[in-house]
Amino acid sequence: MRARATFVLLALGAAAGLGFRDADVGQTTFYAQTAWATIHRDARGSDFAPFVAPLRSRVKWTALEGATTITSVTFGPEGHRYVTTGRGPGTSHLHAFDRDGNLLWESAPQRSLDDLDALAVGGAPLVDRRGHVYAGDANQLWSFDANGRVRWTARLPEGGGSFVSLILTRDGLVGGVTTGGKVALYHRRDGTLARPVLDLPGGAGPPCQAVPPGLWDGGLLDPAIVSVVFCALAGLEVEVANTPALHPRTGRIFVPAAGASPDEGVLYGIDVLPERLEIAFAAPLGAGSGTSPAVAPDGSAVYAAGQEGVLIAVDTGTGEELWRAADTGGLASPAVGPDGTVYSGGGSTSLVALRPDGSEKWRRRYDELAAAFLPAIEPVPPFLPSAQPVARTNNPISVSARHVWVVLSLGYEVLNPFTNIPVATPNVVVLAALDPEDGSLAAPPQLLRDTSEAVTAIDADGSLYVSHAAGLTSVFTFFFNAFLPVEVRVPGPPTAGITVLEPLSFLEHVRAGIDWVRALDAEALAALGSGETDVAFTAVRRGWVQLDATAASSRDAADRGELDAPAARAARGLLLQARSHLLAARIALGGERPAAPRARLRAASAIRRAERALDRVERLLP
């Protein structure tokens, strides 16, 4: 028995990433093995979490009202939820909550730039596998333990600006690329510089336009940093405005940046060598610093878009351009689904899904949804040339096991009275779940209390964490409303903060989890039949993790009265039994690849036993 237990522990250790590889939740070594450990979820920047999320949800809790949250919420291994804000002197800028929304701790209030200052708002907290939290600000990199104690601080390179968001390298170093184009990596144990700083050879991005009047007024953000944050988010003036991504096996760093002139952009591949950092390639990317990149599931390509909305795919090894696609948004980073589909268009008029070869899978607008929520009204020239309701995407895209998630802003197109540039009012804001096959709405959308402009994080239990930057609502509430007819004025004031959604029915969520595992089991069996061991192994790993979350949801269903206690206990036992069968399949497939015929037979038999356990669970459900 002890020998078998040791073998299982070794198998789990390998899956958890003793090398630089994905663990069962899809996180590489050194990242917290949670559903969302960094701004774009994982080292690849995929924005994909391999769990089902609820099509029907309700608000579980809200927090940080009155404070802009520009990046995503991230999760620690002990269950803490971390988020940054930037209200300025006298306030805290890193906040830790438990799963139920209780505030656990905050960073010390800012008294000077020696404290965690307001520019922490520009990056999501990064959590490592030990639960240590990292955050950058105007001039320092900070490390906290899970209880809020400062472990160390490190000075950022002089004159290099601040970090956007952070990464953990193949060797477990923490750092990133500053807005001034300096690549800096530090030892996690003490914050000492691990390699000489690499200064990227580019320059500043295009000049920053004037900050929209009213943006983040009312105490949402420290007035002293509004211009800095706006320009960085728009990719203007700074050399780098993006979070780097990493190759899941080689550890090569990818980051877009401004080139030698404001009309040029570059996608860099950077290698972390034992003694130095070295630029491996520099691929052309249109003007400015572009979007944060995302790496394909198999590591073959890295994707990023320039400011003109042209998305490019670059070979991660050679830097050669593989393809490019025009009119893909370019205002927000692309997301990559589990099948390699690339989703782009966050912050634009439409969404587009591209196949791994660059061909268009679908393209959609959502004006019909706006018409379902808002009436058509009489035009009011010149400010309201068309009074038909319109929809605009309002944040980067996130992907769950079976759906694509995006915040949509529904309103009316109006002309900026000073620039004559059309902009849409955010009269109604919703979180929509889309069918990944065609982009259609998978269910009625969930109403939200404010605009997002930030990444939605997805947890294993089906919770959805929406960050509210409140950019659009603040501009309209504090400025544009005064020029608009009463019928189209945006309700205010902005609430900002974060909203956490949970399944409206945990019983529905249990069924959805079982359906997803069945689909994964079928994929694994088909892959085993055709000798595609790696495909089968990935499907089994994902099913194993989902069953753990689904077993917890069965308990939540009982707590809510949707399932009686004896049935819930029996269902949970069977779900864990199915999970143990998938563990056996995973162990059978986890050795040498391709797996031997006998190992494939053992795995297939274990998967079928898991399916029989799921049959028994479904007979217990009302």
Side-chain angles (χ1 to χ4, degrees):
M1 180 69 179
R2 183 171 181 177
R4 175 164 176 76
T6 302
F7 174 68
V8 170
L9 287 173
L10 288 172
L12 288 172
L18 296 180
F20 195 69
R21 56 183 295 182
D22 287 349
D24 292 297
V25 293
Q27 298 289 7
T28 47
T29 315
F30 303 114
Y31 282 76
Q33 302 305 303
T34 62
W36 214 276
T38 184
I39 180 171
H40 292 297
R41 199 267 167 179
D42 53 30
R44 291 193 296 112
S46 72
D47 291 304
F48 163 66
F51 306 99
V52 293
L55 292 179
R56 298 196 307 154
S57 58
R58 69 179 189 181
V59 175
K60 182 178 182 181
W61 53 272
T62 62
L64 299 172
E65 283 77 0
T68 283
T69 55
I70 289 172
T71 61
S72 67
V73 179
T74 55
F75 312 144
E78 68 297 298
H80 296 177
R81 278 80 179 99
Y82 300 104
V83 64
T84 54
T85 57
R87 285 174 287 187
T91 65
S92 300
H93 299 125
L94 173 62
H95 317 268
F97 298 89
D98 67 14
R99 293 178 184 273
D100 296 318
N102 300 304
L103 182 65
L104 298 172
W105 56 265
E106 296 178 301
S107 58
Q110 177 187 336
R111 304 300 178 192
S112 72
L113 290 182
D114 289 332
D115 300 309
L116 184 68
D117 63 61
L119 270 181
V121 72
L126 169 65
V127 192
D128 73 12
R129 63 182 180 182
R130 295 184 178 179
H132 297 149
V133 186
Y134 304 89
D137 63 7
N139 57 356
Q140 296 178 98
L141 173 63
W142 293 73
S143 176
F144 299 83
D145 68 19
N147 296 315
R149 181 182 65 86
V150 176
R151 298 177 60 237
W152 50 258
T153 60
R155 287 284 170 181
L156 301 187
E158 288 294 328
S162 59
F163 284 133
V164 180
S165 278
L166 303 168
I167 55 171
L168 291 167
T169 70
R170 181 182 185 180
D171 299 323
L173 307 177
V174 63
V177 187
T178 68
T179 54
K182 296 185 185 299
V183 188
L185 300 174
Y186 303 82
H187 292 290
R188 285 183 301 137
R189 65 178 180 271
D190 57 10
T192 55
L193 193 66
R195 303 285 191 280
V197 173
L198 172 66
D199 193 356
L200 297 177
C208 190
Q209 55 194 318
V211 175
L215 181 65
W216 298 315
D217 283 356
L220 297 172
L221 195 66
D222 182 359
I225 67 168
V226 166
S227 177
V228 174
V229 173
F230 170 74
C231 295
L233 287 176
L236 303 172
E237 288 192 359
V238 298
E239 185 172 353
V240 175
N242 309 296
T243 304
L246 277 77
H247 193 282
R249 289 184 297 280
T250 67
R252 176 171 285 176
I253 299 170
F254 305 100
V255 66
S261 76
D263 297 327
E264 300 175 12
V266 179
L267 174 59
Y268 290 105
I270 302 169
D271 289 333
V272 183
L273 303 178
E275 301 297 330
R276 67 187 188 279
L277 301 169
E278 182 175 275
I279 296 175
F281 66 75
L285 182 71
S289 66
T291 67
S292 295
V295 179
D298 64 0
S300 62
V302 56
Y303 310 102
Q307 287 184 312
E308 297 89 355
V310 177
L311 182 74
I312 70 167
V314 169
D315 186 289
T316 54
T318 66
E320 177 187 359
E321 183 177 306
L322 301 173
W323 52 259
R324 60 175 47 213
D327 192 22
T328 58
L331 297 178
S333 56
V336 185
D339 61 353
T341 299
V342 184
Y343 301 94
S344 186
S348 62
T349 59
S350 60
L351 292 182
V352 60
L354 303 171
R355 299 180 182 89
D357 63 3
S359 61
E360 192 168 295
K361 186 175 181 180
W362 52 260
R363 179 183 296 270
R364 268 192 181 262
R365 294 174 63 105
Y366 297 92
D367 293 343
E368 72 277 6
L369 179 64
F373 277 87
L374 298 168
I377 58 176
E378 290 296 319
V380 183
F383 299 133
L384 195 65
S386 171
Q388 298 298 315
V390 296
R392 298 291 183 267
T393 60
N394 187 238
N395 73 333
I397 298 156
S398 298
V399 185
S400 67
R402 308 205 92 166
H403 297 97
V404 176
W405 298 84
V406 65
V407 175
L408 296 170
S409 171
L410 315 177
Y412 302 90
E413 196 168 83
V414 299
L415 288 181
N416 182 321
F418 299 100
T419 65
N420 283 327
I421 297 174
V423 61
T425 63
N427 295 90
V428 177
V429 183
V430 298
L431 177 64
L434 311 178
D435 187 325
E437 292 305 311
D438 59 9
S440 60
L441 290 172
Q446 168 70 44
L447 284 168
L448 297 175
R449 60 184 183 149
D450 209 336
T451 54
S452 175
E453 298 107 3
V455 178
T456 296
I458 302 167
D459 200 3
D461 64 1
S463 298
L464 298 158
Y465 287 72
V466 182
S467 297
H468 298 289
L472 275 175
T473 47
S474 62
V475 169
F476 278 94
T477 297
F478 298 121
F479 181 70
F480 278 139
N481 271 359
F483 299 92
L484 300 178
V486 173
E487 304 96 306
V488 298
R489 289 181 184 171
V490 174
T495 56
I498 59 174
T499 297
V500 182
L501 305 169
E502 66 176 356
L504 184 63
S505 167
F506 278 104
L507 185 58
E508 283 183 10
H509 197 58
V510 169
R511 291 188 182 280
I514 291 172
D515 287 345
W516 169 236
V517 174
R518 286 194 184 282
L520 290 169
D521 287 350
E523 179 183 355
L525 289 170
L528 288 174
S530 59
E532 298 175 285
T533 309
D534 284 338
V535 173
F537 183 65
T538 298
V540 165
R541 289 167 64 192
R542 287 177 178 163
W544 183 79
V545 172
Q546 180 62 59
L547 282 176
D548 194 42
T550 300
S553 292
S554 69
R555 185 173 53 209
D556 292 330
D559 292 342
R560 196 179 280 181
E562 299 178 272
L563 192 60
D564 66 65
R569 284 194 297 272
R572 178 173 171 77
L574 288 166
L575 287 165
L576 293 177
Q577 185 181 116
R579 181 175 178 267
S580 70
H581 292 317
L582 291 189
L583 173 61
R586 191 185 65 168
I587 291 172
L589 297 173
E592 189 174 327
R593 305 268 220 289
R598 185 172 297 177
R600 295 202 299 271
L601 287 173
R602 288 200 304 271
S605 177
I607 292 168
R608 293 188 182 98
R609 289 197 297 274
E611 282 292 296
R612 289 194 288 273
L614 295 180
D615 290 340
R616 295 171 63 190
V617 174
E618 290 193 312
R619 288 195 289 270
L620 291 168
L621 303 181

